[in-house]
Every structure is written in structure tokens, then in C-alpha cells.
């Protein structure tokens, strides 16, 4: 495997700056996930690494070698796309063997068999090798598509939302397997998604991207606990973080310069009224089984938090809101550290 370095890379399509001055270093064996909404520049970043696009500015390095203008074939990467992109007329075996049979690689047939069988084991599709590619479930097809990347031993795997066309159950299953496989192979992976759960569970490090700009890079925990700004804070966490104008909560010990208080569910406890200053009203309770989503109203603002289903709460009830270690943001949306207690 290898390390990959993007240095101040920009790419423009007409008036659209798809990727803007993006720098990112991916270490050997790292699983880096770019998380961002549609149109953020995720696919373009992958295509720049793959050599399918050429940057207008900046450089791409693999293992220290400048490949910015090198053709895709010379970069030693394997790409997994969102769509299965299998050869429908071929068996699973031949689909998996295909990348190894290319004249570029010239792998001897016994070695191909070995690699294909190993990969099929890894992906739990060994029993399906003789099936036609079309005679598979969606999850199995996507395993084959991932397998076609895994049979090779490239410098880096590039994955573009490879699980997004699957249903929730399969997605959860393949997510776990992908992480297991990556750890087993020590693979270097750059993976892009708009799904925060994939980012949190798969990544060694997450990069949050928006409008072509990389806003913050860090471990999932760093990004969640120490977001650099309001946008990053709102990308992770379910229910989403609540934002409350500081003017509506003058008793909260916010540091100077605070404009908005960011309140995640774990920062907000609901209690019976007992002399506290923040009094809200329960607006609605959604019962989700193991947890309740409680919609609260506080001085004209709506907030959502989680509550234990056994906590006796009623719609319309007045409750005390207790804040513990919320996040603070300035007028530009940048994070401000909390004042020491
Ligand atoms: P999605 O999750 O929808 O795939 P993305 O984050 O992968 O989005 P990109 O596909 O990288 O986003 O697109 C970034 C921006 O660049 C978008 O505004 C898109 O319309 C534009 N763009 C991408 N490719 C081209 C192209 N070949 N020609 C013109 N504009 C493009």
C-alpha cells in the first residue's frame, strides 16, 4: 500500500469551483472518508486522485512521486463506484478475475485462481463463483464490485459511495465487512459519502467537505466533539445539534464573543421544574422504541433531544432544561472554546 498526498488542489468546471485549494495527506494503511452533501466535490476529488481529471492547480503525490499529470493506468489505483458496474454476461469468477487478466498485469492463471478464491472468501461469496453476475442479490453484486477492486493489490482503493444503492440492512452489514477487510489487508482507502454513519464507523479520519473546500479533518471523535464550526457540528449527530441564539439564554456562562450555543442531545437534560432559568415546553414526543425523540419549545425556538422512554413526559408540559458542556460559536459560525470553569 502507499500514502497519498493532495497539495492545494483546485479544479474548476466552467463557473463551478468543484474542488478548491484542497490539501489532504492519507497515510499508508489509513481509511480516510470525505463526508459532504451532494455537489460538495467528493467525486471530483476521487477523480483527481485517480487521474481521471487533471487539476487546474496543485499536485497529487503517491508515495512521494508526483503523479499530477500521470495517466490513470500508471497510478496503481482501484476504483469502486456507486453502481455495481459488473459484466452481466460473465460469471462471478470471471468478473473477479477480469482486472487480473488485463494485458497490463499479465498475471498467470493459477495465481489468478488463488487471488479470486481468497477474495471471494473474504467477501463471503465463495459459494457464488459460478453464478452469472446477474443472478445475485444487490448486496452480493456490490460485494463482487468491491471484490474486483480487492483482487488487485493497488497502492490505494478509491471508493465512491459504494454502499449507497443498498438497503439499510445490507448497508450496515457491508459496512462492518468493509472495515474488517480494510484492517485485515492494511489497505489504504479514500472513501467518499454523504452518510455520517458510514463516516463515523469506517474512517480512521474524516474530512468534512463543502463547496469544494475541506473544512476540517480529524478522527471521527475529534470531528464530533471538537467541530471547528457550526457547519461541521451540524454534519454529525442524530438528532442534529440544536442552535440557540445566546441572547435567549443570558444565564448560560458563554465565553465572550458567543453568538450561538450549540446543544447536542448529550448536552441537554430535561428535568422537572426546580428553580432553573431555562424553562421549555414539551411540544411532541416521538417514540422510537429504545429511545424517545423529544421536541421542545424554548422561547420560540425548537430543540430536539433524546430521552429515556421511561422518563414520564407529556406533550404540553413545562420542563427545566439543563445544559452540560454545550459548544459555543461566534457570529461567523466559528467555534469558541468554553471559558474555564
Ligand atoms: P454527489 O454526492 O452528488 O456525487 P459530489 O460531492 O461528488 O456530489 P462532484 O460530483 O464532485 O460532487 O461535483 C462538484 C461540483 O462540480 C458540482 O457542482 C457539479 O455539478 C460540478 N461538476 C462535477 N463534474 C462536472 C463536469 N464534468 N462538468 C461540469 N460540472 C461538473
Amino acid at each position: 500500500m502507499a500514502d497519498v498526498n493532495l497539495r492545494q488542489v483546485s479544479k474548476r468546471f466552467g463557473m463551478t469551483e468543484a474542488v478548491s485549494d484542497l490539501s489532504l495527506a492519507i497515510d499508508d494503511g489509513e481509511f480516510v472518508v470525505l463526508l459532504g452533501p451532494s455537489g460538495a466535490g467528493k467525486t471530483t476529488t476521487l477523480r483527481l486522485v485517480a487521474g481521471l481529471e487533471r487539476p487546474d492547480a496543485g499536485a497529487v503525490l503517491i508515495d512521494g512521486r508526483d503523479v499530477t499529470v500521470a495517466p490513470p493506468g500508471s497510478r496503481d489505483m482501484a476504483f469502486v463506484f456507486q453502481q455495481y458496474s459488473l459484466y452481466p454476461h460473465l460469471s462471478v469468477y470471471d468478473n473477479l478475475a477480469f482486472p487480473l487478466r488485463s494485458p497490463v498485469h499479465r498475471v498467470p492463471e493459477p495465481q489468478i485462481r488463488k487471488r479470486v478464491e481468497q477474495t471471494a472468501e473474504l467477501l463471503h461469496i465463495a459459494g457464488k463463483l459460478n453464478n452469472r453476475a446477474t443472478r445475485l442479490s444487490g448486496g452480493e453484486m456490490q460485494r463482487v464490485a468491491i471484490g474486483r477492486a480487492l483482487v488487485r493489490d493497488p497502492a490505494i482503493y478509491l471508493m465512491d459511495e459504494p454502499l449507497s444503492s443498498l438497503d439499510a440492512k445490507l448497508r450496515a452489514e457491508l459496512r462492518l465487512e468493509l472495515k474488517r477487510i480494510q484492517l485485515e489487508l492494511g489497505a489504504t482507502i479514500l472513501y467518499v459519502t454523504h452518510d455520517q454513519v458510514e463516516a463515523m464507523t469506517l474512517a480512521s479520519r474524516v474530512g468534512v467537505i463543502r463547496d469544494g473546500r475541506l473544512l476540517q479533518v480529524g478522527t471521527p471523535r475529534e470531528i464530533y466533539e471538537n467541530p471547528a464550526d457550526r457547519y461541521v457540528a451540524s454534519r454529525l449527530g442524530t438528532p442534529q445539534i440544536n442552535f440557540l441564539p445566546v441572547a435567549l439564554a443570558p444565564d448560560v456562562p458563554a465565553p465572550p464573543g458567543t453568538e450561538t450555543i450549540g446543544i447536542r442531545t448529550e448536552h441537554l437534560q430535561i428535568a422537572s421544574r426546580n428553580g432553573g432559568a431555562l424553562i421549555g415546553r414539551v411540544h411532541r414526543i416521538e417514540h422510537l422504541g429504545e429511545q424517545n425523540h423529544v421536541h421542545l419549545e424554548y422561547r420560540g425556538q425548537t430543540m430536539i433531544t433524546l430521552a429515556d422512554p421511561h422518563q414520564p413526559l407529556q406533550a404540553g408540559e413545562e420542563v427545566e432544561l439543563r445544559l452540560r458542556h454545550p459548544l459555543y460559536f461566534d457570529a461567523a459560525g466559528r467555534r469558541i472554546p468554553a471559558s474555564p470553569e
Side-chain angles (χ1 to χ4, degrees):
M1 287 280 129
D3 58 76
V4 176
N5 231 309
L6 290 163
R7 288 202 186 141
Q8 297 185 296
V9 171
S10 295
K11 178 70 189 175
R12 181 176 271 288
F13 297 105
M15 295 300 284
T16 309
E17 181 128 82
V19 172
S20 187
D21 198 22
L22 186 145
S23 294
L24 177 68
I26 305 161
D27 286 338
D28 192 12
E30 242 195 331
F31 197 139
V32 172
V33 177
L34 289 183
L35 174 69
S38 182
K42 306 182 297 294
T43 300
T44 306
T45 305
L46 282 187
R47 290 174 61 82
L48 286 163
V49 176
L52 299 169
E53 302 286 354
R54 192 172 284 191
D56 301 322
V60 180
L61 287 87
I62 300 172
D63 255 350
R65 186 169 66 97
D66 191 326
V67 296
T68 313
V69 294
S74 71
R75 295 191 183 201
D76 193 20
M77 322 217 138
F79 213 128
V80 183
F81 297 95
Q82 180 176 347
Q83 295 305 330
Y84 314 128
S85 61
L86 302 183
Y87 298 110
H89 57 286
L90 295 183
S91 66
V92 169
Y93 183 97
D94 287 328
N95 264 283
L96 289 173
F98 195 88
L100 300 175
R101 287 185 176 143
S102 102
V104 184
H105 300 300
R106 296 182 185 279
V107 184
E109 205 58 34
Q111 211 172 315
I112 292 180
R113 172 160 293 278
K114 198 162 155 225
R115 284 295 295 163
V116 168
E117 285 173 355
Q118 277 172 344
T119 306
E121 284 292 331
L122 200 63
L123 287 161
H124 304 314
I125 46 171
K128 306 277 177 179
L129 283 174
N130 296 322
N131 281 39
R132 283 269 292 266
T134 42
R135 300 256 167 92
L136 296 171
S137 70
E140 288 163 349
M141 282 191 204
Q142 195 57 330
R143 277 165 212 257
V144 179
I146 293 169
R148 289 209 325 192
L150 296 183
V151 286
R152 294 187 35 218
D153 190 14
I156 179 166
Y157 296 100
L158 303 173
M159 301 196 179
D160 193 351
E161 310 232 17
L163 308 183
S164 64
S165 54
L166 305 174
D167 67 42
K169 185 167 168 287
L170 272 174
R171 217 163 45 227
E173 202 178 296
L174 267 186
R175 209 168 56 218
L176 282 174
E177 283 181 28
L178 206 52
K179 187 66 190 171
R180 171 183 62 82
I181 289 165
Q182 187 258 341
L183 291 172
E184 257 174 53
L185 298 179
T188 311
I189 300 182
L190 178 58
Y191 184 109
V192 309
T193 183
H194 62 271
D195 182 323
Q196 57 164 310
V197 178
E198 285 179 19
M200 290 298 275
T201 53
L202 290 172
S204 339
R205 283 188 305 145
V206 178
V208 179
I209 184 170
R210 182 195 198 186
D211 296 335
R213 291 179 185 278
L214 198 52
L215 301 177
Q216 189 175 355
V217 184
T219 64
R221 192 165 171 180
E222 279 163 3
I223 299 276
Y224 183 81
E225 291 181 359
N226 271 317
D229 62 29
R230 274 182 62 149
Y231 178 76
V232 173
S234 69
R235 275 305 310 191
L236 296 179
T238 316
Q240 229 184 41
I241 189 167
N242 301 286
F243 291 114
L244 185 67
V246 74
L248 295 182
D251 293 317
V252 173
T258 299
E259 179 83 11
T260 314
I261 308 175
I263 306 165
R264 293 200 189 279
T265 63
E266 63 272 27
H267 304 144
L268 178 59
Q269 265 134 37
I270 310 171
S272 309
R273 288 192 67 165
N274 191 19
L278 300 181
I279 305 300
R281 186 183 295 278
V282 177
H283 177 58
R284 190 155 60 90
I285 302 169
E286 285 177 286
H287 301 281
L288 299 176
E290 80 284 11
Q291 275 172 327
N292 284 347
H293 276 191
V294 182
H295 298 246
L296 296 156
E297 233 176 77
Y298 173 77
R299 298 182 68 179
Q301 306 284 311
T302 304
M303 294 204 265
I304 304 179
T305 192
L306 295 173
D308 188 314
H310 303 296
Q311 187 172 359
L313 289 170
Q314 304 260 332
E317 185 182 347
E318 281 200 338
V319 286
E320 198 169 298
L321 310 180
R322 296 195 185 141
L323 300 191
R324 276 189 74 232
H325 309 303
L327 307 176
Y328 301 104
F329 301 93
D330 69 12
R334 283 183 302 256
R335 177 87 182 290
I336 308 178
S339 308
E341 290 187 359

